[in-house]
Amino acid sequence: MAEATSKAQGLLDRLRYHERGYTEVEAAIARRSSAIPRAPSASPSRFAKRANVSSGSAVRFARLMGYPGFRALKFALAAEGSAEPATASTSSQMEGLLEAHARAIQFAARTLDPAAFRLAAEVLAGAGSIDIVGVGAASATARAAEFQFTIAGFRCRRIDDPSEGAAAASFLGPQGALLAISHSGRTRATVDAAHRARGSGACVIAVCSAARSPLATVATHVLAVESSQTRYATDELPFRAAHLAIVQALAREAFESTAPDLRASRRGAWAAARFDLRYSDDPGVMRPSSDRETLTD
């Protein structure tokens, strides 16, 4: 039973993700196929009609998934519906989510242009100031980016209010840079900030999931994890994890792009500030800032 359940779970995972990506027709079939365990009696022709595809497309999709025909795929999915409990365990949900995130990050690593990534990091490293914008779910990634760039010694800011953040981008100027994060690349406040930053002469680095989005169009440097090329096109959560990995890598690469003496100075300053906050061996006693042991603890 455990082996059958594992195999069924593998089929669901493969429905959500494919190495070469999906065509629009295949994506429609994949989305519709996830409902088969709840409606196993649907005929191939009825399924094709509901998915708004041809019967031949459904058959070809089944073969893509490794089955001789659509009926075999349908029965495999229906068997999964009877093999697993109505509600998945917390463990299986966690494993599925983590695997989806890992795959999205791996996809980003394979598809992002290394030269474009390095150039974006160099731009951020040389900027006099960095504004970071992200609205809604992207705001969590923006906050993480703010932290990463701050501890790397860069002058950066992130304004919580989207409208104010967009307005503030107008003051960046030629020495500044804007890091704009948006899954769709269509968030109005984020795109507005990019337009205002470009108008001030600043560079704009876009982290998004759509290379042909309004944000990507106005940006000077685009790091797009193209969601339309994968099964995750309808599920943005894994791409959020990929965006987080990208901004963390950008901060690290930007730091490594600075002069060696500046890197050493920033590392020393950050280490001193961190270790000054540690308690000594005597509970309740803080170490003084002049204590050299704090740098070697």
Side-chain angles (χ1 to χ4, degrees):
M1 177 67 73
E3 182 179 355
T5 301
S6 176
K7 183 177 179 181
Q9 182 62 40
L11 175 56
L12 279 182
D13 288 341
R14 288 187 291 121
L15 273 176
R16 296 180 60 196
Y17 177 84
H18 195 276
E19 292 292 337
R20 73 159 175 78
Y22 276 145
T23 64
E24 290 186 9
V25 171
E26 290 169 347
I29 297 173
R31 289 193 297 270
R32 192 69 192 180
S33 295
S34 64
I36 285 181
R38 295 186 293 275
S41 61
S43 66
S45 59
R46 181 177 298 178
F47 171 88
K49 183 176 181 180
R50 289 178 177 175
N52 198 27
V53 299
S54 68
S55 298
S57 295
V59 172
R60 286 190 291 272
F61 179 82
R63 290 173 180 170
L64 174 66
M65 298 301 296
Y67 293 87
F70 186 78
R71 288 184 181 276
L73 173 61
K74 181 185 74 169
F75 292 146
L77 287 167
E80 174 183 352
S82 61
E84 292 195 359
T87 56
S89 67
T90 301
S91 177
S92 64
Q93 290 179 13
M94 178 190 69
E95 291 173 0
L97 181 62
L98 292 179
E99 184 177 357
H101 286 190
R103 286 178 170 176
I105 293 172
Q106 290 169 357
F107 177 77
R110 290 195 305 269
T111 57
L112 282 181
D113 181 0
F117 175 83
R118 285 192 296 271
L119 182 57
E122 290 173 1
V123 168
L124 291 167
S129 61
I130 302 170
D131 273 16
I132 304 172
V133 294
V135 179
S139 64
T141 309
R143 284 193 294 272
E146 180 187 29
F147 175 76
Q148 294 293 332
F149 278 93
T150 297
I151 66 173
F154 295 101
R155 292 182 59 189
C156 65
R157 66 179 179 181
R158 180 190 60 83
I159 300 177
D160 285 326
D161 186 278
S163 299
E164 296 298 336
S170 303
F171 303 112
L172 277 169
Q175 301 304 314
L178 178 75
L179 178 58
I181 306 162
S182 171
H183 171 68
S184 66
R186 297 178 179 278
T187 305
R188 183 179 296 277
T190 304
V191 177
D192 285 350
H195 276 291
R196 295 174 190 275
R198 284 297 302 274
S200 74
C203 288
V204 176
I205 292 88
V207 177
C208 60
S209 302
R212 297 181 180 180
S213 62
L215 177 60
T217 300
V218 71
T220 51
H221 306 281
V222 181
L223 301 178
V225 187
E226 189 57 71
S227 64
S228 64
Q229 297 179 8
T230 75
R231 298 184 182 186
Y232 291 126
T234 58
D235 185 3
E236 67 180 53
L237 187 58
F239 285 101
R240 302 289 183 190
H243 294 170
L244 178 60
I246 290 170
V247 299
Q248 290 176 328
L250 270 177
R252 183 63 176 268
E253 184 71 15
F255 179 76
E256 295 298 330
S257 298
T258 58
D261 57 340
L262 182 57
R263 290 203 303 270
S265 174
R266 289 178 175 178
R267 282 195 178 104
W270 180 248
R274 288 183 63 202
F275 287 113
D276 279 349
L277 298 179
R278 286 194 173 185
Y279 286 99
S280 68
D281 295 334
D282 183 7
V285 178
M286 295 289 287
R287 290 180 174 176
S289 60
S290 60
D291 186 353
R292 292 184 178 274
E293 292 182 2
T294 59
L295 300 180
T296 58
D297 186 9

